Amino acid sequence: MRSRSDRWSTRRTRWTLAGSVVGGAILALGAAACEKEAPPPPPPPEVYVADVVQRDVPVYLEVVGQTQGYQDVDIRARVEGFLETASFQEGTFVRKGALLYTIDRRPFEAALAGAKADLATAEARLEKTNNDVARYRPLVAKQAISQQELDNAIAAQNAATSQVEAMKAAVEQATINLGYTTIDAPLDGLIGTMLVKPGNLVGKGEPTLLTTISQIDPIIFRVGITEADYLNIVKRRQANQAAGAPDLDIQLTLADGTVYAQKGKVGPVERAVDPTTGTLGVQFLFPNPGGVLRPGQYGRIRLVLDTKVGALLVPQRAVQELQNLYSVATVGPDNKVAFHNVKVGLKVGSLWVIDEGLQAGEKVIVEGLQRVQDGMTVSAKPAPATPSGEAR
């Protein structure tokens, strides 16, 4: 029979052998894992790039403004009375001299008749005083009457003469007032809507506004521009005149985004700069043969002020802005990224003029900027073509 010590010795031997087997297995697995290849590095991020292009860029001035009639004439009732008729269709073109309104004539016809009667009475009184003076003069010479009587006759004659002149003025005024009862169009133009309908009392206390007529061919497009822009316009016009070139090419863009077919020209300029806004009012004249433009429409005029020669342009998507600092990322021949601080200029459609910080022919990143860092290697692919535009 085995002793207790022999049994403990046998157990320790078994445990030792089992531990050796397990340790050997672990070492074998570790060696197998070390023998596997490391995973390949990730591919470089993919970006899209565009070339920095160089070309001459026209510099445009764009200003928002509003149209107004070449002449805007308010039609008012100049005498008091009841409005009888309105002889036009609202919102249509009327010819100069066309009948627009009539006011009740009867009170003014009566006033004219009364003025004529007063004139006849005054003329009869004058005739009597003329006869008295003619009769008294020889009698005074014969001392048949006193000089005082002749002087009184002459004074009465002078008063009667003045009365006749006053009555003539009254007749003329009554005739004028009677004429104001018919209101005609003062010019060819577009007439507005009726502000007062027939049957209403007009002209009581003040001339009542009835409607407005606007001459709209040509039509005025009025804008407010800065003093610097005004000086640039003057310089450009002077340069064109010196070179024998046409005057400024002025385009008008309407509210729906379409460009008006007719070209404009510079019209009257305000006398002084508005001290409250710092702008100067300028009128541009546009032909309006079809009457498409109406007073009060908003739009935007554009004209060339200068040409920037050899400007560098990049897509606007390539420019990053942070706290008024602008930067772009370029990809060199070695496919490494480099960031550049740049000075931006005019916007040209979807492009941006770069005044400083880039060279012609460099490639800028337009897509994938959020995935790159300075010095990183990338896989660059050409970006879709960017549409060209015009400077603003």
Short mmCIF file of all heavy atoms in Angstrom, two decimals, residues 185-245:
data_model
loop_
_atom_site.label_atom_id
_atom_site.label_comp_id
_atom_site.label_asym_id
_atom_site.label_seq_id
_atom_site.Cartn_x
_atom_site.Cartn_y
_atom_site.Cartn_z
N ALA A 185 -55.47 115.45 -71.26
CA ALA A 185 -54.15 114.87 -71.03
C ALA A 185 -53.08 115.87 -71.44
O ALA A 185 -53.08 116.35 -72.58
CB ALA A 185 -53.99 113.56 -71.81
N PRO A 186 -52.11 116.18 -70.56
CA PRO A 186 -51.08 117.16 -70.90
C PRO A 186 -49.95 116.58 -71.76
O PRO A 186 -49.13 117.34 -72.29
CB PRO A 186 -50.56 117.60 -69.54
CG PRO A 186 -50.77 116.40 -68.66
CD PRO A 186 -52.02 115.74 -69.17
N LEU A 187 -49.88 115.25 -71.89
CA LEU A 187 -48.82 114.62 -72.68
C LEU A 187 -49.24 113.22 -73.06
O LEU A 187 -50.22 112.68 -72.55
CB LEU A 187 -47.49 114.61 -71.88
CG LEU A 187 -47.50 114.11 -70.44
CD1 LEU A 187 -47.52 112.60 -70.36
CD2 LEU A 187 -46.29 114.63 -69.69
N ASP A 188 -48.49 112.62 -74.00
CA ASP A 188 -48.67 111.21 -74.32
C ASP A 188 -48.07 110.38 -73.18
O ASP A 188 -46.93 110.61 -72.76
CB ASP A 188 -47.95 110.85 -75.62
CG ASP A 188 -48.56 111.55 -76.82
OD1 ASP A 188 -49.70 112.05 -76.71
OD2 ASP A 188 -47.89 111.61 -77.87
N GLY A 189 -48.82 109.42 -72.67
CA GLY A 189 -48.27 108.62 -71.60
C GLY A 189 -49.23 107.58 -71.08
O GLY A 189 -50.34 107.40 -71.58
N LEU A 190 -48.77 106.89 -70.06
CA LEU A 190 -49.53 105.83 -69.41
C LEU A 190 -50.28 106.43 -68.23
O LEU A 190 -49.69 107.04 -67.34
CB LEU A 190 -48.59 104.73 -68.92
CG LEU A 190 -49.21 103.55 -68.18
CD1 LEU A 190 -50.06 102.72 -69.13
CD2 LEU A 190 -48.12 102.69 -67.55
N ILE A 191 -51.60 106.28 -68.26
CA ILE A 191 -52.41 106.87 -67.20
C ILE A 191 -52.69 105.83 -66.12
O ILE A 191 -52.83 104.63 -66.41
CB ILE A 191 -53.74 107.43 -67.77
CG1 ILE A 191 -54.42 108.35 -66.76
CG2 ILE A 191 -54.67 106.31 -68.20
CD1 ILE A 191 -55.50 109.21 -67.36
N GLY A 192 -52.73 106.29 -64.88
CA GLY A 192 -52.95 105.38 -63.77
C GLY A 192 -54.42 105.14 -63.49
O GLY A 192 -55.30 105.43 -64.31
N THR A 193 -54.69 104.63 -62.31
CA THR A 193 -56.06 104.35 -61.91
C THR A 193 -56.72 105.63 -61.37
O THR A 193 -56.04 106.59 -61.00
CB THR A 193 -56.10 103.28 -60.82
OG1 THR A 193 -55.29 103.71 -59.72
CG2 THR A 193 -55.55 101.97 -61.35
N MET A 194 -58.05 105.63 -61.35
CA MET A 194 -58.79 106.77 -60.83
C MET A 194 -58.70 106.79 -59.31
O MET A 194 -59.04 105.82 -58.65
CB MET A 194 -60.26 106.69 -61.25
CG MET A 194 -60.51 106.71 -62.73
SD MET A 194 -62.30 106.62 -63.06
CE MET A 194 -62.28 106.21 -64.81
N LEU A 195 -58.26 107.92 -58.78
CA LEU A 195 -58.25 108.09 -57.34
C LEU A 195 -59.56 108.66 -56.82
O LEU A 195 -59.86 108.55 -55.63
CB LEU A 195 -57.08 109.00 -56.94
CG LEU A 195 -55.69 108.51 -57.38
CD1 LEU A 195 -54.62 109.48 -56.94
CD2 LEU A 195 -55.41 107.12 -56.84
N VAL A 196 -60.33 109.30 -57.72
CA VAL A 196 -61.65 109.84 -57.37
C VAL A 196 -62.61 109.44 -58.48
O VAL A 196 -62.32 109.63 -59.66
CB VAL A 196 -61.61 111.37 -57.22
CG1 VAL A 196 -62.99 111.90 -56.85
CG2 VAL A 196 -60.60 111.79 -56.16
N LYS A 197 -63.75 108.91 -58.10
CA LYS A 197 -64.74 108.47 -59.07
C LYS A 197 -65.74 109.59 -59.35
O LYS A 197 -65.94 110.49 -58.53
CB LYS A 197 -65.49 107.24 -58.54
CG LYS A 197 -64.60 106.05 -58.24
CD LYS A 197 -63.97 105.48 -59.49
CE LYS A 197 -63.17 104.22 -59.16
NZ LYS A 197 -62.55 103.63 -60.37
N PRO A 198 -66.39 109.55 -60.55
CA PRO A 198 -67.42 110.55 -60.86
C PRO A 198 -68.51 110.57 -59.79
O PRO A 198 -68.90 109.54 -59.24
CB PRO A 198 -67.95 110.08 -62.22
CG PRO A 198 -66.81 109.35 -62.84
CD PRO A 198 -66.12 108.67 -61.70
N GLY A 199 -69.03 111.79 -59.54
CA GLY A 199 -70.04 111.98 -58.52
C GLY A 199 -69.52 112.60 -57.25
O GLY A 199 -70.30 113.10 -56.43
N ASN A 200 -68.20 112.59 -57.07
CA ASN A 200 -67.60 113.15 -55.87
C ASN A 200 -67.33 114.63 -56.05
O ASN A 200 -67.08 115.12 -57.16
CB ASN A 200 -66.29 112.43 -55.54
CG ASN A 200 -66.50 111.05 -54.98
OD1 ASN A 200 -66.81 110.89 -53.80
ND2 ASN A 200 -66.35 110.03 -55.83
N LEU A 201 -67.34 115.35 -54.94
CA LEU A 201 -66.98 116.76 -54.94
C LEU A 201 -65.47 116.85 -54.89
O LEU A 201 -64.80 116.24 -54.04
CB LEU A 201 -67.58 117.45 -53.72
CG LEU A 201 -67.27 118.95 -53.58
CD1 LEU A 201 -67.88 119.74 -54.73
CD2 LEU A 201 -67.76 119.47 -52.24
N VAL A 202 -64.89 117.62 -55.82
CA VAL A 202 -63.44 117.75 -55.91
C VAL A 202 -63.06 119.22 -55.84
O VAL A 202 -63.88 120.12 -56.05
CB VAL A 202 -62.92 117.12 -57.22
CG1 VAL A 202 -63.19 115.63 -57.26
CG2 VAL A 202 -63.52 117.81 -58.43
N GLY A 203 -61.79 119.46 -55.54
CA GLY A 203 -61.26 120.82 -55.56
C GLY A 203 -61.68 121.69 -54.40
O GLY A 203 -61.45 122.90 -54.44
N LYS A 204 -62.27 121.14 -53.38
CA LYS A 204 -62.74 121.95 -52.26
C LYS A 204 -61.58 122.17 -51.29
O LYS A 204 -61.13 121.25 -50.61
CB LYS A 204 -63.91 121.29 -51.53
CG LYS A 204 -64.51 122.15 -50.41
CD LYS A 204 -65.74 121.49 -49.84
CE LYS A 204 -66.31 122.31 -48.69
NZ LYS A 204 -66.69 123.67 -49.11
N GLY A 205 -61.10 123.39 -51.21
CA GLY A 205 -60.01 123.72 -50.30
C GLY A 205 -58.63 123.52 -50.88
O GLY A 205 -57.70 124.23 -50.54
N GLU A 206 -58.45 122.54 -51.76
CA GLU A 206 -57.15 122.27 -52.37
C GLU A 206 -57.36 121.49 -53.65
O GLU A 206 -58.39 120.82 -53.82
CB GLU A 206 -56.26 121.48 -51.42
CG GLU A 206 -56.78 120.10 -51.08
CD GLU A 206 -55.87 119.33 -50.15
OE1 GLU A 206 -54.92 119.93 -49.62
OE2 GLU A 206 -56.14 118.13 -49.95
N PRO A 207 -56.38 121.57 -54.58
CA PRO A 207 -56.52 120.80 -55.83
C PRO A 207 -56.51 119.30 -55.55
O PRO A 207 -55.54 118.76 -55.03
CB PRO A 207 -55.29 121.23 -56.64
CG PRO A 207 -54.84 122.51 -56.04
CD PRO A 207 -55.19 122.43 -54.59
N THR A 208 -57.59 118.63 -55.88
CA THR A 208 -57.72 117.21 -55.61
C THR A 208 -56.95 116.40 -56.65
O THR A 208 -57.10 116.61 -57.85
CB THR A 208 -59.20 116.79 -55.64
OG1 THR A 208 -59.93 117.60 -54.71
CG2 THR A 208 -59.37 115.32 -55.28
N LEU A 209 -56.11 115.45 -56.18
CA LEU A 209 -55.39 114.57 -57.09
C LEU A 209 -56.35 113.53 -57.65
O LEU A 209 -56.98 112.78 -56.90
CB LEU A 209 -54.24 113.88 -56.35
CG LEU A 209 -53.41 112.89 -57.17
CD1 LEU A 209 -52.74 113.57 -58.36
CD2 LEU A 209 -52.36 112.22 -56.28
N LEU A 210 -56.47 113.49 -58.98
CA LEU A 210 -57.40 112.58 -59.64
C LEU A 210 -56.70 111.33 -60.15
O LEU A 210 -57.21 110.21 -60.00
CB LEU A 210 -58.10 113.30 -60.79
CG LEU A 210 -58.87 114.57 -60.42
CD1 LEU A 210 -59.46 115.22 -61.67
CD2 LEU A 210 -59.97 114.26 -59.41
N THR A 211 -55.54 111.49 -60.78
CA THR A 211 -54.76 110.37 -61.30
C THR A 211 -53.39 110.91 -61.69
O THR A 211 -53.09 112.09 -61.48
CB THR A 211 -55.46 109.69 -62.50
OG1 THR A 211 -54.74 108.50 -62.84
CG2 THR A 211 -55.51 110.61 -63.69
N THR A 212 -52.56 110.04 -62.26
CA THR A 212 -51.21 110.44 -62.68
C THR A 212 -50.93 109.87 -64.07
O THR A 212 -51.31 108.73 -64.35
CB THR A 212 -50.15 109.94 -61.70
OG1 THR A 212 -50.43 110.48 -60.40
CG2 THR A 212 -48.75 110.36 -62.12
N ILE A 213 -50.29 110.66 -64.91
CA ILE A 213 -49.85 110.21 -66.23
C ILE A 213 -48.33 110.20 -66.25
O ILE A 213 -47.68 111.15 -65.79
CB ILE A 213 -50.39 111.12 -67.34
CG1 ILE A 213 -51.91 111.05 -67.41
CG2 ILE A 213 -49.80 110.74 -68.70
CD1 ILE A 213 -52.51 111.94 -68.48
N SER A 214 -47.76 109.12 -66.78
CA SER A 214 -46.31 108.98 -66.85
C SER A 214 -45.87 108.77 -68.29
O SER A 214 -46.42 107.91 -69.00
CB SER A 214 -45.84 107.79 -66.01
OG SER A 214 -46.13 107.99 -64.64
N GLN A 215 -44.89 109.56 -68.69
CA GLN A 215 -44.23 109.30 -69.98
C GLN A 215 -43.16 108.25 -69.72
O GLN A 215 -42.23 108.48 -68.94
CB GLN A 215 -43.60 110.58 -70.53
CG GLN A 215 -42.91 110.37 -71.87
CD GLN A 215 -42.24 111.64 -72.37
OE1 GLN A 215 -42.45 112.72 -71.82
NE2 GLN A 215 -41.43 111.51 -73.41
N ILE A 216 -43.28 107.09 -70.34
CA ILE A 216 -42.40 105.97 -70.01
C ILE A 216 -41.52 105.54 -71.17
O ILE A 216 -40.87 104.49 -71.09
CB ILE A 216 -43.22 104.77 -69.51
CG1 ILE A 216 -44.20 104.29 -70.57
CG2 ILE A 216 -43.96 105.12 -68.24
CD1 ILE A 216 -44.91 103.00 -70.20
N ASP A 217 -41.45 106.31 -72.21
CA ASP A 217 -40.53 106.00 -73.31
C ASP A 217 -39.82 107.28 -73.74
O ASP A 217 -40.41 108.11 -74.42
CB ASP A 217 -41.28 105.40 -74.51
CG ASP A 217 -40.31 104.90 -75.60
OD1 ASP A 217 -39.12 104.72 -75.28
OD2 ASP A 217 -40.77 104.68 -76.73
N PRO A 218 -38.56 107.45 -73.28
CA PRO A 218 -37.76 106.53 -72.47
C PRO A 218 -38.20 106.53 -71.02
O PRO A 218 -38.97 107.39 -70.59
CB PRO A 218 -36.34 107.09 -72.60
CG PRO A 218 -36.57 108.56 -72.76
CD PRO A 218 -37.82 108.70 -73.59
N ILE A 219 -37.69 105.55 -70.28
CA ILE A 219 -38.00 105.46 -68.85
C ILE A 219 -36.72 105.66 -68.06
O ILE A 219 -35.62 105.35 -68.55
CB ILE A 219 -38.66 104.11 -68.51
CG1 ILE A 219 -39.36 104.18 -67.15
CG2 ILE A 219 -37.65 102.97 -68.54
CD1 ILE A 219 -40.31 103.03 -66.89
N ILE A 220 -36.86 106.21 -66.88
CA ILE A 220 -35.70 106.50 -66.03
C ILE A 220 -35.50 105.35 -65.04
O ILE A 220 -36.47 104.86 -64.44
CB ILE A 220 -35.90 107.83 -65.27
CG1 ILE A 220 -35.91 109.00 -66.25
CG2 ILE A 220 -34.82 108.02 -64.21
CD1 ILE A 220 -36.26 110.32 -65.60
N PHE A 221 -34.25 104.94 -64.88
CA PHE A 221 -33.88 103.99 -63.83
C PHE A 221 -32.95 104.75 -62.88
O PHE A 221 -31.83 105.10 -63.24
CB PHE A 221 -33.19 102.76 -64.41
CG PHE A 221 -32.97 101.67 -63.40
CD1 PHE A 221 -33.98 100.79 -63.08
CD2 PHE A 221 -31.74 101.54 -62.76
CE1 PHE A 221 -33.78 99.79 -62.13
CE2 PHE A 221 -31.54 100.55 -61.82
CZ PHE A 221 -32.55 99.67 -61.51
N ARG A 222 -33.44 105.00 -61.67
CA ARG A 222 -32.70 105.84 -60.74
C ARG A 222 -32.02 104.99 -59.68
O ARG A 222 -32.62 104.08 -59.10
CB ARG A 222 -33.62 106.85 -60.05
CG ARG A 222 -32.89 107.94 -59.29
CD ARG A 222 -33.85 108.90 -58.59
NE ARG A 222 -33.14 110.01 -57.99
CZ ARG A 222 -32.46 109.94 -56.84
NH1 ARG A 222 -32.43 108.80 -56.18
NH2 ARG A 222 -31.83 110.99 -56.37
N VAL A 223 -30.73 105.28 -59.43
CA VAL A 223 -29.95 104.55 -58.44
C VAL A 223 -29.20 105.55 -57.57
O VAL A 223 -29.04 106.72 -57.93
CB VAL A 223 -28.94 103.58 -59.09
CG1 VAL A 223 -29.65 102.58 -59.98
CG2 VAL A 223 -27.89 104.34 -59.88
N GLY A 224 -28.75 105.08 -56.43
CA GLY A 224 -27.86 105.85 -55.58
C GLY A 224 -26.52 105.15 -55.51
O GLY A 224 -26.43 103.98 -55.11
N ILE A 225 -25.45 105.83 -55.93
CA ILE A 225 -24.13 105.22 -55.96
C ILE A 225 -23.19 105.99 -55.05
O ILE A 225 -23.43 107.16 -54.72
CB ILE A 225 -23.56 105.17 -57.40
CG1 ILE A 225 -23.38 106.59 -57.96
CG2 ILE A 225 -24.44 104.34 -58.30
CD1 ILE A 225 -22.72 106.62 -59.31
N THR A 226 -22.11 105.34 -54.66
CA THR A 226 -21.13 105.99 -53.80
C THR A 226 -20.33 107.01 -54.61
O THR A 226 -20.31 106.98 -55.85
CB THR A 226 -20.17 104.96 -53.20
OG1 THR A 226 -19.41 104.34 -54.26
CG2 THR A 226 -20.94 103.88 -52.44
N GLU A 227 -19.67 107.87 -53.89
CA GLU A 227 -18.85 108.89 -54.55
C GLU A 227 -17.73 108.23 -55.36
O GLU A 227 -17.41 108.67 -56.47
CB GLU A 227 -18.27 109.83 -53.50
CG GLU A 227 -17.45 110.99 -54.07
CD GLU A 227 -16.92 111.90 -52.99
OE1 GLU A 227 -17.30 111.73 -51.82
OE2 GLU A 227 -16.12 112.79 -53.32
N ALA A 228 -17.13 107.16 -54.81
CA ALA A 228 -16.04 106.47 -55.53
C ALA A 228 -16.55 105.86 -56.83
O ALA A 228 -15.89 105.94 -57.87
CB ALA A 228 -15.43 105.39 -54.63
N ASP A 229 -17.72 105.23 -56.79
CA ASP A 229 -18.28 104.64 -58.01
C ASP A 229 -18.61 105.72 -59.04
O ASP A 229 -18.42 105.53 -60.25
CB ASP A 229 -19.54 103.83 -57.68
CG ASP A 229 -19.22 102.53 -56.97
OD1 ASP A 229 -18.09 102.04 -57.12
OD2 ASP A 229 -20.09 102.01 -56.26
N TYR A 230 -19.11 106.86 -58.56
CA TYR A 230 -19.40 107.96 -59.49
C TYR A 230 -18.12 108.42 -60.18
O TYR A 230 -18.11 108.62 -61.41
CB TYR A 230 -20.05 109.12 -58.74
CG TYR A 230 -20.08 110.40 -59.54
CD1 TYR A 230 -20.93 110.55 -60.63
CD2 TYR A 230 -19.24 111.45 -59.21
CE1 TYR A 230 -20.93 111.72 -61.38
CE2 TYR A 230 -19.25 112.62 -59.94
CZ TYR A 230 -20.09 112.75 -61.02
OH TYR A 230 -20.09 113.91 -61.75
N LEU A 231 -17.04 108.56 -59.43
CA LEU A 231 -15.78 108.99 -60.03
C LEU A 231 -15.26 107.95 -61.02
O LEU A 231 -14.71 108.30 -62.07
CB LEU A 231 -14.74 109.25 -58.93
CG LEU A 231 -15.06 110.42 -57.98
CD1 LEU A 231 -14.03 110.49 -56.86
CD2 LEU A 231 -15.11 111.72 -58.76
N ASN A 232 -15.45 106.66 -60.69
CA ASN A 232 -15.03 105.61 -61.63
C ASN A 232 -15.83 105.67 -62.93
O ASN A 232 -15.28 105.46 -64.02
CB ASN A 232 -15.19 104.24 -60.98
CG ASN A 232 -14.16 103.99 -59.90
OD1 ASN A 232 -13.05 104.53 -59.95
ND2 ASN A 232 -14.51 103.18 -58.91
N ILE A 233 -17.13 105.97 -62.83
CA ILE A 233 -17.95 106.10 -64.04
C ILE A 233 -17.46 107.25 -64.89
O ILE A 233 -17.33 107.14 -66.12
CB ILE A 233 -19.43 106.29 -63.65
CG1 ILE A 233 -20.00 104.99 -63.07
CG2 ILE A 233 -20.26 106.70 -64.86
CD1 ILE A 233 -21.42 105.12 -62.56
N VAL A 234 -17.17 108.39 -64.26
CA VAL A 234 -16.70 109.56 -65.00
C VAL A 234 -15.38 109.24 -65.69
O VAL A 234 -15.19 109.56 -66.88
CB VAL A 234 -16.54 110.76 -64.05
CG1 VAL A 234 -15.86 111.92 -64.75
CG2 VAL A 234 -17.90 111.19 -63.52
N LYS A 235 -14.46 108.59 -64.98
CA LYS A 235 -13.15 108.26 -65.58
C LYS A 235 -13.33 107.30 -66.75
O LYS A 235 -12.66 107.45 -67.79
CB LYS A 235 -12.24 107.64 -64.52
CG LYS A 235 -11.81 108.61 -63.44
CD LYS A 235 -11.00 107.89 -62.37
CE LYS A 235 -10.63 108.85 -61.24
NZ LYS A 235 -9.88 108.16 -60.16
N ARG A 236 -14.20 106.32 -66.61
CA ARG A 236 -14.41 105.35 -67.68
C ARG A 236 -15.00 106.02 -68.92
O ARG A 236 -14.57 105.75 -70.05
CB ARG A 236 -15.33 104.24 -67.20
CG ARG A 236 -15.57 103.12 -68.22
CD ARG A 236 -14.32 102.29 -68.43
NE ARG A 236 -14.54 101.22 -69.38
CZ ARG A 236 -13.67 100.25 -69.64
NH1 ARG A 236 -12.53 100.22 -69.00
NH2 ARG A 236 -13.95 99.31 -70.51
N ARG A 237 -15.95 106.93 -68.73
CA ARG A 237 -16.56 107.62 -69.87
C ARG A 237 -15.53 108.52 -70.55
O ARG A 237 -15.49 108.59 -71.79
CB ARG A 237 -17.75 108.45 -69.39
CG ARG A 237 -18.88 107.64 -68.80
CD ARG A 237 -20.09 108.50 -68.56
NE ARG A 237 -20.76 108.86 -69.80
CZ ARG A 237 -21.70 109.77 -69.90
NH1 ARG A 237 -22.08 110.46 -68.83
NH2 ARG A 237 -22.29 110.02 -71.06
N GLN A 238 -14.72 109.19 -69.76
CA GLN A 238 -13.70 110.04 -70.36
C GLN A 238 -12.68 109.21 -71.14
O GLN A 238 -12.25 109.62 -72.23
CB GLN A 238 -13.00 110.85 -69.26
CG GLN A 238 -13.88 111.91 -68.62
CD GLN A 238 -13.20 112.62 -67.46
OE1 GLN A 238 -12.18 112.15 -66.93
NE2 GLN A 238 -13.78 113.73 -67.03
N ALA A 239 -12.29 108.04 -70.60
CA ALA A 239 -11.35 107.18 -71.31
C ALA A 239 -11.96 106.67 -72.62
O ALA A 239 -11.27 106.61 -73.66
CB ALA A 239 -10.95 106.01 -70.42
N ASN A 240 -13.23 106.31 -72.61
CA ASN A 240 -13.90 105.86 -73.83
C ASN A 240 -13.96 106.98 -74.87
O ASN A 240 -13.74 106.75 -76.07
CB ASN A 240 -15.31 105.37 -73.52
CG ASN A 240 -15.31 104.03 -72.79
OD1 ASN A 240 -14.27 103.41 -72.61
ND2 ASN A 240 -16.47 103.60 -72.36
N GLN A 241 -14.27 108.20 -74.44
CA GLN A 241 -14.33 109.31 -75.37
C GLN A 241 -12.97 109.62 -75.96
O GLN A 241 -12.84 109.89 -77.16
CB GLN A 241 -14.88 110.55 -74.65
CG GLN A 241 -16.35 110.42 -74.26
CD GLN A 241 -16.83 111.59 -73.42
OE1 GLN A 241 -16.06 112.50 -73.11
NE2 GLN A 241 -18.10 111.57 -73.05
N ALA A 242 -11.91 109.55 -75.12
CA ALA A 242 -10.57 109.81 -75.62
C ALA A 242 -10.12 108.76 -76.63
O ALA A 242 -9.40 109.06 -77.58
CB ALA A 242 -9.58 109.88 -74.45
N ALA A 243 -10.55 107.52 -76.42
CA ALA A 243 -10.16 106.43 -77.33
C ALA A 243 -11.11 106.29 -78.50
O ALA A 243 -10.90 105.44 -79.37
CB ALA A 243 -10.10 105.12 -76.56
N GLY A 244 -12.15 107.12 -78.56
CA GLY A 244 -13.14 107.00 -79.64
C GLY A 244 -13.99 105.76 -79.52
O GLY A 244 -14.61 105.34 -80.50
N ALA A 245 -14.08 105.20 -78.32
CA ALA A 245 -14.88 103.98 -78.10
C ALA A 245 -16.31 104.37 -77.77
O ALA A 245 -16.60 105.50 -77.38
CB ALA A 245 -14.28 103.16 -76.96
#
